[in-house]
DNA sequence: GTCACTAATGACCAAGTGGTCACTACCGAC
DNA sequence: GTCGGTAGTGACCACTTGGTCATTAGTGAC
């Protein structure tokens, strides 16, 4: 394999790259997708720009050219949090199963690290500077969504729920071992629904009370 | 700052190290303690042998001499799992608060990364080969302890509880942000107790049913 | 004392990292 | 056509990593 030696010192026209696509947007998109993949698979610290570049079919120099730094690449690659999928206003009695179904569907269908919670957990131990804003974003989304549905005062219950979600995601997608990892998505929903109902019980009771009082 | 240049080629008797303790056991112990600290703080991948050596007051060469490799050092440094502290047979009615108190006491008093769950979470994203056996050990301990107390069939509930613990530990010791991180240990126990009671309700009911049937 | 044993050192290495930059060649505008 | 702007390249750099090893010096046995 011949290499280009000191292109600065001698012209080497035979040292052409194998192909050029020359499509900045497509390159950016390919790099971002590869970055999501690699960050989710390996965490921030162990992910390398070269591996991301390799999967995107470009050189690591181009990654730097487009994103400037590894950190900036992570920030742009992070999927938006959607941990509170399924939490929409509606009948409070069916809220727990909607939450459970939405959560399970989210973490099971996301595939290769698209889910914010998975990315969060995977990158957390590698880099706290990454974990903290990420966790804050996820938790803020959960607590705000729940506040909209259950009213103020539900934040701690939403936080506990978020913790349960993070733990379950960890069990199924990071550790991938143990009883929770063995369950089918349907079974998982079945076990989670009463647990969520129990966790949210005080907040739901409070919300129902508030609604009745208003009427 | 003069450096020892090529000690192999020229004798440099003036290049003596500042101190020598010459106590292999003490050195090993100091290295192991420093390793637990650094692994817990930074995760496996971002922990460096040099940092561990620095905190232990030795050179990184000595760490290699004693443990051979970073991986071996991790294996020897890992604290035993004790995630199920507080789960002992007794009155089933008070089990949830004993579990909550034991768990919170464990993660709050452990300080610098002594707790297995903290170490687990911190090293997980960096290295799955580390995370999987660690998680398996923690979960096995939790499920077996609960099986002894609540009988067979409680495994999934114990697994869910383990997930909640991992998530809460994550919130308080990794992310260190959000509503759960703000609570005092006492408040945390207060919120966790009913949540744990709710999570375990089916298993406790089953256990009480079994006990009554036996009588 | 002195001497063998070995704990401890620190210079060194190869590999791999994020980041830089001089250069190359594609493409659309004219 | 040709030409300027720029997408893309790859050699290079400084630095850090885990790991090696020749050398140095405490220490206990004698």
């Amino acid at each position: 394999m011949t290499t280009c030696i000191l292109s600065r010192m001698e012209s080497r026209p035979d040292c052409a790259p194998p192909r050029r696509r020359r499509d900045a947007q497509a390159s950016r998109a390919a790099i971002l997708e590869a970055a999501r993949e690699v960050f989710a698979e390996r965490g921030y610290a162990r992910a390398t720009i070269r591996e991301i570049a390799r999967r995107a079919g470009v050189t690591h120099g181009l990654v730097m050219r487009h994103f400037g730094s590894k950190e900036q690449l992570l920030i742009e690659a992070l999927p938006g949090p959607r941990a509170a999928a399924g939490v929409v206003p509606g009948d409070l009695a069916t809220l727990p199963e909607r939450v459970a179904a939405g959560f399970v569907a989210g973490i099971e269908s996301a595939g290769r690290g698209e889910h914010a919670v998975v990315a969060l957990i995977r990158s957390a131990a590698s880099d706290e500077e990454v974990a903290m804003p990420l966790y804050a974003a996820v938790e803020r989304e959960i607590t705000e969504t729940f506040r909209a549905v259950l009213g103020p005062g539900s934040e701690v219950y939403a936080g506990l729920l978020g913790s349960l979600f993070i733990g379950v995601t960890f069990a199924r997608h990071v550790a991938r071992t143990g009883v929770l990892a063995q369950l089918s998505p349907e079974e998982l929903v079945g076990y989670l629904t009463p647990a969520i109902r129990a966790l949210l019980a005080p907040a739901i009771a409070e919300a129902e009370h508030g609604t009745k009082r208003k009427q």
Side-chain angles (χ1 to χ4, degrees), chain A residues 55-132:
Chain A
R55 293 204 202 180
V58 299
T59 57
H60 91 282
L62 189 68
V63 175
M64 296 306 297
R65 180 181 163 78
H66 276 300
F67 296 95
S69 73
K70 187 184 177 185
E71 195 180 317
Q72 187 59 32
L73 175 58
L74 175 79
I75 289 168
E76 299 204 29
L78 278 177
R82 56 182 104 152
V87 185
V88 290
D91 185 7
L92 289 181
T94 62
L95 181 68
E97 48 201 302
R98 279 183 287 127
V99 171
F103 165 69
V104 172
I107 64 168
E108 297 306 315
S109 69
R112 299 178 303 189
E114 281 180 44
H115 198 278
V117 180
V118 178
L120 165 69
I121 291 168
R122 286 193 180 271
S123 57
S126 309
D127 203 318
E128 287 190 22
E129 302 94 273
V130 172
M132 290 188 53

Side-chain angles (χ1 to χ4, degrees), chain A residues 2-205:
Chain A
T2 55
T3 55
C4 296
I5 313 148
L6 290 174
S7 57
R8 223 168 288 168
M9 297 173 72
E10 46 174 321
S11 194
R12 289 282 304 275
D14 59 310
C15 191
R19 64 161 160 57
R20 288 274 174 92
R21 274 176 326 191
R22 200 169 180 79
D23 185 336
Q25 282 211 316
S27 292
R28 275 186 69 95
I31 291 167
L32 283 174
E33 191 182 324
R36 273 188 281 269
E37 232 181 83
V38 177
F39 282 139
E41 273 179 31
R42 308 177 55 102
Y44 181 74
R46 299 216 331 171
T48 69
I49 292 179
R50 280 170 174 79
E51 171 66 12
I52 291 167
R54 199 187 57 74
R55 293 204 202 180
V58 299
T59 57
H60 91 282
L62 189 68
V63 175
M64 296 306 297
R65 180 181 163 78
H66 276 300
F67 296 95
S69 73
K70 187 184 177 185
E71 195 180 317
Q72 187 59 32
L73 175 58
L74 175 79
I75 289 168
E76 299 204 29
L78 278 177
R82 56 182 104 152
V87 185
V88 290
D91 185 7
L92 289 181
T94 62
L95 181 68
E97 48 201 302
R98 279 183 287 127
V99 171
F103 165 69
V104 172
I107 64 168
E108 297 306 315
S109 69
R112 299 178 303 189
E114 281 180 44
H115 198 278
V117 180
V118 178
L120 165 69
I121 291 168
R122 286 193 180 271
S123 57
S126 309
D127 203 318
E128 287 190 22
E129 302 94 273
V130 172
M132 290 188 53
L134 240 182
Y135 181 84
V138 171
E139 206 203 60
R140 192 183 330 113
E141 198 216 352
I142 292 183
T143 53
E144 285 179 1
T145 311
F146 274 90
R147 191 191 300 123
V149 177
L150 295 177
S154 63
E155 285 87 353
V156 179
Y157 303 101
L160 285 171
L161 202 54
S163 287
L164 180 63
F165 285 175
I166 285 173
V168 170
T169 307
F170 185 88
R172 285 179 76 86
H173 290 283
V174 182
R176 292 203 290 267
T177 187
V179 281
L180 295 189
Q182 311 298 324
L183 300 176
S184 72
E186 294 72 27
E187 288 174 317
L188 184 62
V189 172
Y191 280 106
L192 277 176
T193 300
I196 293 169
R197 175 168 287 120
L199 273 171
L200 293 180
I204 290 180

